[in-house]
Amino acid sequence: MNRFLVALGLIVSLLISTTDRTLAQTSLTPATPLGSWLIATVQLPGGDKKWGGFAELQARSNGTFSQYFYNELKAGVSYDLDKNFSLMVAGGRYATYDYQDLSTGPLNTEKRLWEQLIINQYLSRLKFEHRYRIEQRWFTYRDGTTPYRNRIRYRMNMFVPLNNRTITDKTAFLSLYDEIFVNPLGPTFERNRLYAGVGYQFDQHWIIQLGLINQTNYNPATFESGVFTPQLATGKNNIVVGLTYRLKRSKNSEKLPSQPD
């Protein structure tokens, strides 16, 4: 137990330090509103059938539960190689609006396809998820342009059950993750997400999570007309409320309550 508490303390200290550095590098000001992300997910675990999947609807707002401007609708099919390794192919539609004038329609829409590998580690009461994802992205902007982009993502998610040794029925847990976004064509380091939250698994079906996420976008340094502009980082904090309904399978082992986004 003492080793567990020491390890947990070191990890939390590292995450706090990373958060401080991230916020120091961004252009957050007191005038930046606290946004909100609302996430509703239906999951089908692989179980003994190995095949599973998910469907998700997400809405985001510029203010706290106000000034709606963005939504996602996505779904995917997964295959569990075993308890620790899972493959997925998924896709979705993403739309961004001007929250001051929703009647004009989306500023841009994106159709996205991705392939991913998830590796789980179960270290006593510390549970880690490593997610590797490759994305193909097709955009349609209001001005008629249709660019295409690729992106690579890596996320490390740590879960800590608080009142049980595993995340099962009637279990409260902590969830902490950091995710980096890489653009193969540059700017190489495109985005970073840092999340901390708490959750509760009521039973085999229902899970709720509440957290705070900092999303920071990075623009590359430029040198134009003899003027050097250093790398610019813009960040925003958001409240995250996630509700998951998990379909029951005849054989369900411990399943980490990770968010598909």
Side-chain angles (χ1 to χ4, degrees):
M1 184 65 178
N2 290 335
R3 291 180 179 178
F4 166 74
L5 292 175
V6 170
L8 178 59
L10 289 174
I11 292 171
V12 172
S13 297
L14 178 60
L15 286 167
I16 292 173
S17 175
T18 303
T19 304
D20 291 340
R21 290 196 303 270
T22 300
L23 294 177
Q25 293 171 354
T26 66
S27 60
L28 286 172
T29 68
T32 303
L34 181 66
S36 49
W37 296 7
L38 303 178
I39 307 171
T41 308
V42 176
Q43 290 183 338
L44 176 64
D48 54 353
K49 302 293 185 181
K50 293 187 178 293
W51 290 98
F54 83 100
E56 182 177 285
L57 176 64
Q58 185 173 151
R60 299 181 188 176
S61 60
N62 184 62
T64 306
F65 308 115
S66 64
Q67 300 176 342
Y68 157 79
F69 77 99
Y70 176 88
N71 64 55
E72 301 180 357
L73 178 61
K74 51 189 184 286
V77 177
S78 64
Y79 182 79
D80 295 344
L81 300 173
D82 59 29
K83 181 181 179 181
N84 298 320
F85 295 87
S86 180
L87 302 173
M88 175 177 283
V89 176
R93 179 186 184 274
Y94 305 72
T96 302
Y97 298 80
D98 179 356
Y99 66 83
Q100 296 177 319
D101 190 1
L102 297 177
S103 64
T104 58
L107 296 170
N108 71 74
T109 58
E110 175 191 350
K111 294 181 176 63
R112 185 183 305 175
L113 178 69
W114 70 85
E115 304 80 40
Q116 73 180 30
L117 166 67
I118 288 179
I119 302 174
N120 294 322
Q121 291 179 291
Y122 298 86
L123 306 177
S124 184
R125 290 181 67 170
L126 294 179
K127 295 129 192 342
F128 293 90
E129 178 199 75
H130 303 270
R131 190 180 75 183
Y132 305 85
R133 178 181 291 184
I134 300 174
E135 297 178 332
Q136 300 82 48
R137 311 170 68 198
W138 294 266
F139 294 88
T140 301
Y141 287 93
R142 186 180 288 179
D143 63 5
T145 58
T146 56
Y148 169 81
R149 301 175 192 168
N150 291 317
R151 189 165 64 183
I152 300 170
R153 297 166 58 170
Y154 166 71
R155 184 179 79 184
M156 186 181 75
N157 201 161
M158 182 187 75
F159 298 94
V160 185
L162 300 177
N163 58 325
N164 291 304
R165 296 193 67 85
T166 62
I167 300 177
T168 183
D169 297 355
K170 300 179 181 179
T171 301
F173 59 90
L174 298 177
S175 176
L176 305 167
Y177 73 71
D178 189 79
E179 182 172 21
I180 60 173
F181 296 68
V182 176
N183 186 332
L185 298 180
T188 302
F189 189 50
E190 183 179 279
R191 173 177 292 172
N192 189 81
R193 284 181 182 168
L194 185 61
Y195 170 88
V198 295
Y200 188 78
Q201 180 166 324
F202 294 92
D203 51 31
Q204 294 186 40
H205 298 294
W206 292 102
I207 303 169
I208 190 169
Q209 297 191 54
L210 176 65
L212 184 68
I213 190 168
N214 172 266
Q215 178 166 280
T216 301
N217 297 317
Y218 294 88
N219 296 321
T222 61
F223 186 80
E224 296 180 0
S225 302
V227 178
F228 174 75
T229 302
Q231 183 185 60
L232 176 64
T234 56
K236 183 177 177 64
N237 290 325
N238 302 274
I239 296 172
V240 181
V241 181
L243 182 64
T244 299
Y245 180 78
R246 186 178 288 165
L247 299 170
K248 186 177 179 180
R249 274 281 169 85
S250 58
K251 179 181 178 182
N252 280 341
S253 58
E254 180 184 18
K255 183 74 173 179
L256 297 181
S258 58
Q259 298 175 355
D261 184 42

